[in-house]
Structure formats: C-alpha cells, structure tokens
C-alpha cells in the first residue's frame, strides 16, 4: 500500500576521526655562514606551525612546519642562535564517509634533542604531537508525517544549538618599532615570541569580524654583550566569510604563528629599530539554534506495518568557555644559578578528563630560564608548571579546551623568581545527541490486523507515568482519540481511569460503509455523557483486572448491548 508520507531533510553529524599521533621530526643541519661556530648548546626548542589540512580519498592530510630554534654559546663566549624550518606531512585514516567535513586540529611540541656533531653541524631529533578530529556533516531524509488517518506516528520535538559549519582565515601582520629610551643598539635577536593578547568578534553583513591585538616579545643582544627585551603590539582586524552567522554562536580560536623580529638600521646607521612580523590564523566553529520535529515510532491501526529507523546524530553546544585568570607563583631557582637574563613561557599541552559532576582541564606551562653564572658563563634551566580549571556540567559532555598564555612577567629576588602569567581557558563544551528516527514506513494491505478484544469502549486503569503511546498502540487506536475522550494530557498518563475506544481491525467496510457481513451497525452504542462520566470513575484493580469492557460495566457479564 502506497502511503502519503511527508518527508523532511535534516542535517546529521558523525565523528569519523578522533586521534592523537606523534609525528617524528628530524634535521641534520649546517650553520649559516653568518653564524659563529658552536662551542656549547644551551637550549633547543621546537614550535609546530600548522600549514594546512585536506580531507580527500578517505584520509585527513595534515601539513605543518617545525620551527626549530637552537640557542648556543659561540666560540667567542657569546650567545648565538640558529633557526631551521622542517616541513612535515601526516596522514590519518577516516572511519567513515566525509560528506561536508568539519576538522579540528591542534599541535604541541614533543621531546626534542640537539647535538653538535662538529662546530658547524647539528643533529636534531624531535616530535610534534598532533590531535585531530573530523566531523562529517550530511543531509538525511526522515519522516515528518502522514496523511493517512489510520497511520499513527509518534512525534517528538528537539531544540538546541548544534554544530553546523566552520570558517577560517589568515592574515600577515607587520610593524617597525624603535627601541625605547636610551637602549643600546642591538646586534641580533635570540628569540621572538607572540600571543594574541586581546580579541573580540561580532557578526555583521554576512561576515565574522575578528579584531584584537597581538603582543610580541623579542630577546635581543646589544653591542656591549648585554641583554634587552623589546615588545611590540600589533593590532589586527580580519573578516571571515560567514553568510549563515546570524543568531549563531562562535567558538573562535586565534593563533599568532611564526613570529619574527629583525634589527633595522635607523637614520644614524645604528640598529635601534626592529621589524616585526607575525602570521595570524583565525578559525571559528559555528553553532546555530534549531528546532526539529521528527517521528520516532509508528504503526497502522488497520494493517500490519513495518518501520525502518536510522540514528540521527547532532553535536550540540552546552556553552562556550571564555574564562581568564591570573596565575602567580614563587619559583625557587636551581642551586648555583646566577642572574636570570631571560625567561620564556610556552603552553606544552592541555588535556581534559571527567571529574565528578564536571570536567577537569589540566594544562602544562613550560618555562625556560637563561641564567648567567658568576664566572660569566650562560646556562639554561627548564621547569614545568601545572595549572587546572574545572567546569561543572550535566550529562556526558566534552570540552574542547584550549589554554592560552597571553602575557607573562617575572622578577628575580635572591634565589627565587616571582612569575605572573595571564591565562585564558577557552573552548566549546558539547555533547553528542543520538536519536532513533523513522526514515521509512510500509504497510501490508493484504495483512489486516487481528484484534482479540471485542469491539467497543474500555475503561483502563492507568498507573502513574504510564506511556500514553504504548496504551494507544496496545488498544490499536491513536493518542488523539484517547485525548478526545479523556481531555488533554502529556506523553505520560496520570493515575486513574481512561476511556479507550477499541476497534475491530480484521473487518473492513466497502464504499457504502457496509461491513463484510453487509451490516451497517455501529461497533459501540452511544451513551450519554452522564453515564460515561459515572462509569469512568468505577474502581479498578491491577494486572489483568485493570481493563473493564464498557458493555460489562453497563449491562453486566451477560447483558446484551442494544443496537
């Protein structure tokens, strides 16, 4: 039998990749001609830079660049630097078809080691930890309703805010600044770092406008062999194409990548200026509110039917974390450590785990201290600081936590170091909702239902919280008919009697309204509302005695119903 079914097209999400992998990075490098010979290596750091990602042929291809910075003591006893860029590619297999994929990726530095093979040659071995997730978004067709009154569909309404896309963009920032005050001319830059210190976002005219500031810091050596720290603020404003951003919420991530600072001569021929450059990468996931009316079950009151279901999966937004904190700690310096000439802070990673009725994010800050000992020699020391942040949330949630160190300052007091970091915890808190919905329904007109109950009206003694749908299905009627005779009620029934019309489904009528035996008699006589109310309030039992046939209620076990 061909049913007049109404269908609708709805989006569905499925996670087809969630993986963390370690990518090896190897480099056998020679010092550039302008770098002095190596006497001793102080510190080797690796900073991963995402370059791109592509979903194709059932795989996620990730391209990146390992920016390796080697700080060493030259043959003349002064600090010097060598910088190397090592490209890498990582392939990850997807576990399903990628319709309209939304990818999330983060990179952190793993272990790195550096060895001087000779005064001009370096052997570098390290790794990059890559965490990637791919969500496949596709359009599915599901049932919305049916025009046939004999077909009963259980409908439910879902509301929420779901993931529906992502946008991204890059911008190159540059600026030239002079050294402050009476600072000595610089000879070289030993290290440059940058972080997004402030940002704001708003949607307007089909674009997501992202504005803010990048704070860059450079550690420089001056012409007298001393150290200087230079800072630069680079404002930015980027516009990302986002035509469907109205009434949406955005989980925005901004990264300051590949910062660089180079000494520049001023009009006097001295290097009292720095030329700064930073790559800004912005990426936003889009979450939009939705209302979905879908069918989760169905049956026919006349014929045997069959339903085909599918799982509709959506990634729903619980909230977006944007919490800042100031972290302060007094750190004891290593024994025999002299004057701290430079300090660098980096985020070494962030992980999330369930914690009671919430989620606990644990971040790691990596500290590198460059000290000058009493004999004038330079040494570096590493420290790891652990920080935590807890969120309270209900249900099975996932926090895509990101820890940012926006700025830091330090001060040495004797054998201790006072450290202050401005931290920001960000990221969307989501949960995955899975709903079994109907995508197809068929009825067999050659197989009418057989009803063992006599036709008529029944008084059913409902228990508190009993499903109205299950009662209607048991008596081969509809929820609307039960509500029509008993008044409005929700999905679950209150305790007490219900008047239920039960029909014989193994008999059919012709075009003139006659049954198979030619009779046109009604299945149930009509009684006055007074009798109906009086008999609805009769007491009932449990189990098999919770059901009373209305004929017996009115005429007794042997009474005949009038025609």
């Amino acid at each position: 039998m061909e049913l007049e079914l109404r269908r609708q097209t709805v989006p569905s999400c499925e996670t087809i990749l969630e993986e963390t992998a370690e990518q090896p990075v190897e480099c056998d490098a020679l010092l550039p001609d302008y770098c002095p010979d190596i006497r001793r290596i102080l510190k080797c750091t690796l900073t991963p830079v995402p370059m791109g990602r592509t979903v194709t042929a059932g795989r996620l291809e990730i391209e990146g660049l390992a920016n390796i910075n080697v700080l060493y003591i030259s043959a003349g006893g002064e600090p010097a630097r060598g910088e190397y860029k090592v490209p890498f590619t990582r392939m990850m297999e997807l576990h399903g078809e990628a319709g309209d994929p939304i990818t999330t990726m983060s990179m952190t530095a793993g272990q790195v080691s550096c060895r001087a093979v000779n005064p001009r040659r370096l052997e570098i071995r390290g790794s990059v930890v890559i965490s990637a997730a791919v969500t496949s978004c596709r359009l599915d067709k599901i049932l919305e309703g049916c025009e046939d009154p004999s077909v009963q569909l259980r409908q439910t309404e879902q509301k929420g805010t779901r993931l529906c896309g992502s946008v991204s963009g890059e911008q190159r920032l540059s600026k030239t600044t002079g050294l402050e005050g009476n600072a000595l001319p610089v000879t070289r830059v030993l290290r440059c770092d940058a972080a997004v210190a402030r940002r704001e976002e708003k949607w307007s005219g089909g674009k997501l406008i992202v504005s803010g500031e990048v704070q860059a810091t450079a550690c420089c050596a001056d012409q007298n062999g001393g150290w200087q720290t230079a800072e630069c603020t680079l404002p930015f404003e980027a516009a990302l194409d986002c035509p469907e951003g109205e009434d949406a919420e955005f989980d925005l991530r901004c990264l300051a990548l590949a910062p660089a600072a180079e000494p520049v001569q001023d009009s006097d021929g001295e290097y009292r200026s720095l030329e700064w450059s930073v790559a800004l990468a912005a990426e936003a996931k889009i979450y939009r509110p939705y209302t979905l009316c879908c069918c989760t079950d169905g049956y026919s009151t006349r014929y045997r039917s069959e339903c085909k279901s599918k799982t509709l999966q959506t990634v729903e937004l619980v909230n977006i974390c944007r919490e800042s904190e100031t972290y302060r700690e007094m750190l004891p310096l290593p024994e025999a450590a002299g004057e701290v000439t430079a300090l660098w802070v980096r985020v070494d990673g962030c992980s999330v785990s369930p914690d009671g009725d919430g989620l606990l994010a644990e971040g790691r800050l990596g500290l590198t201290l460059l000290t000058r000992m009493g004999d004038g020699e330079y040494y570096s020391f590493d420290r790891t600081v652990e920080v935590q942040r807890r969120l309270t949330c209900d249900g099975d949630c996932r926090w895509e936590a990101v820890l940012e160190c926006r700025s830091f300052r330090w001060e040495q007091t004797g054998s201790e170091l006072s450290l202050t970091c401005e931290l920001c915890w960000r990221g969307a808190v989501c949960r995955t909702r899975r709903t079994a919905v109907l995508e197809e329904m068929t009825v067999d007109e050659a197989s009418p239902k057989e009803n063992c109950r006599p036709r008529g009206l029944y008084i059913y003694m409902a228990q508190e919280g009993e499903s109205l749908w299950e009662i209607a299905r048991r008596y081969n009627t509809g929820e609307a008919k039960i509500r029509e005779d008993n008044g409005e009620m929700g999905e679950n029934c209150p305790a007490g009697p219900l008047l239920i019309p039960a029909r014989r489904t193994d008999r059919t009528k012709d075009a003139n309204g006659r049954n198979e035996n030619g009779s046109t008699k009604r299945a149930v006589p009509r009684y006055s509302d007074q009798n109906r109310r009086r008999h609805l309030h009769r007491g009932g039992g449990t189990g098999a005695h919770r059901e009373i046939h209305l004929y017996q209620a009115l005429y007794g076990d042997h009474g005949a119903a009038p025609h």
Side-chain angles (χ1 to χ4, degrees), residues 411-464:
E411 182 179 358
Q412 183 179 3
T413 306
S415 60
E416 290 186 321
L417 189 76
S418 173
L419 176 66
T420 303
C421 297
E422 300 297 331
L423 304 178
C424 183
W425 299 88
R426 303 184 67 91
V429 180
C430 304
R431 66 164 56 95
T432 300
R433 174 184 283 189
R434 297 176 177 86
T435 307
V437 298
L438 297 186
E439 65 171 343
E440 189 59 75
M441 181 176 180
T442 57
V443 297
D444 186 0
E445 199 172 6
S447 302
K449 279 188 172 180
E450 295 181 1
N451 195 345
C452 61
R453 291 185 176 86
R455 58 185 176 179
L457 294 176
Y458 286 81
I459 298 175
Y460 179 79
M461 305 305 297
Q463 294 181 341
E464 183 71 29

Side-chain angles (χ1 to χ4, degrees), residues 159-331:
K159 290 185 177 181
T161 305
R162 67 183 170 204
L163 176 65
C164 62
S166 64
V167 293
S168 61
E170 293 186 4
Q171 188 178 36
R172 193 73 188 178
L173 309 178
S174 61
K175 190 176 182 180
T176 301
T177 61
L179 300 179
E180 295 183 357
N182 298 322
L184 294 173
V186 298
T187 57
R188 56 189 175 274
V189 176
L190 296 177
R191 185 178 175 93
C192 184
D193 296 282
V196 178
R198 181 186 63 84
R199 69 165 179 259
E200 298 175 352
E201 65 267 8
K202 66 177 181 178
W203 184 87
S204 177
K207 292 185 180 295
L208 178 63
I209 310 299
V210 184
S211 60
E213 294 177 345
V214 172
Q215 189 70 33
T217 305
C219 186
C220 310
D222 60 38
Q223 62 183 13
N224 290 345
W227 292 80
Q228 294 185 36
T229 299
E231 296 182 350
C232 176
T233 300
L234 295 92
F236 66 87
E237 182 173 295
L240 308 180
D241 290 330
C242 184
E244 299 182 355
E246 189 174 7
D247 299 328
E249 294 190 60
F250 301 95
D251 179 19
L252 177 66
R253 301 185 182 187
C254 290
L255 297 176
L257 304 175
E262 295 295 335
V264 178
Q265 286 181 320
D266 57 16
S267 58
D268 297 334
E270 294 184 328
Y271 290 91
R272 294 182 179 273
S273 299
L274 291 174
E275 184 176 355
W276 304 81
S277 64
V278 179
L280 176 74
E283 181 178 22
K285 285 186 175 181
I286 307 170
Y287 295 86
R288 297 191 64 191
Y290 77 99
T291 300
L292 173 65
C293 184
C294 55
C295 303
T296 58
D297 197 3
Y299 61 90
S300 170
T301 58
R302 300 181 63 187
Y303 306 106
R304 297 187 182 277
S305 59
E306 183 177 348
C307 294
K308 182 180 179 182
S309 300
K310 71 184 311 177
T311 300
L312 188 66
Q313 182 170 297
T314 55
V315 178
E316 296 200 342
L317 179 68
V318 178
N319 66 4
I320 295 180
C321 177
R322 301 183 181 95
E323 299 185 7
S324 301
E325 67 170 294
T326 300
Y327 174 81
R328 297 183 177 90
E329 187 169 348
M330 293 294 295
L331 301 173

Side-chain angles (χ1 to χ4, degrees), residues 69-80:
N69 195 339
V70 180
L71 186 64
Y72 65 94
I73 298 298
S74 67
E78 296 297 326

Side-chain angles (χ1 to χ4, degrees), residues 54-68:
T54 307
V55 175
T56 178
R59 296 185 299 179
L60 172 64
E61 181 178 352
I62 299 172
E63 295 181 350
L65 193 68
N67 194 353
I68 301 172

Side-chain angles (χ1 to χ4, degrees), residues 101-167:
I102 299 174
T103 61
T104 303
M105 181 185 63
S106 64
M107 295 182 180
T108 57
Q111 297 293 328
V112 60
S113 63
C114 181
R115 183 174 71 92
V117 179
N118 59 48
R120 304 295 303 175
R121 184 182 173 188
L122 294 168
E123 184 182 89
I124 303 169
R125 300 290 182 267
S127 64
V128 174
V129 179
I130 303 173
S131 297
V134 178
T135 301
S136 174
C137 297
R138 63 179 184 274
L139 295 177
D140 290 338
K141 285 189 175 182
I142 63 173
L143 291 188
E144 184 180 17
C146 182
E147 303 299 332
D148 191 335
S150 68
V151 172
Q152 304 297 318
L153 293 174
R154 188 176 194 177
Q155 294 183 325
T156 183
E157 186 177 79
Q158 288 185 188
K159 290 185 177 181
T161 305
R162 67 183 170 204
L163 176 65
C164 62
S166 64
V167 293

Side-chain angles (χ1 to χ4, degrees), residues 148-154 298-302 449 451 457 467-487 489-491 493 498-503 505:
D148 191 335
S150 68
V151 172
Q152 304 297 318
L153 293 174
R154 188 176 194 177
Y299 61 90
S300 170
T301 58
R302 300 181 63 187
K449 279 188 172 180
N451 195 345
L457 294 176
S467 169
L468 182 62
W469 172 264
E470 294 301 332
I471 295 175
R473 186 168 196 162
R474 189 183 315 158
Y475 285 88
N476 203 39
T477 185
E479 291 179 304
K481 290 186 177 294
I482 297 179
R483 289 190 177 100
E484 181 181 342
D485 287 326
N486 297 273
M489 63 184 73
E491 294 183 358
C493 303
L498 290 178
L499 182 63
I500 301 178
R503 56 177 294 178
T505 56

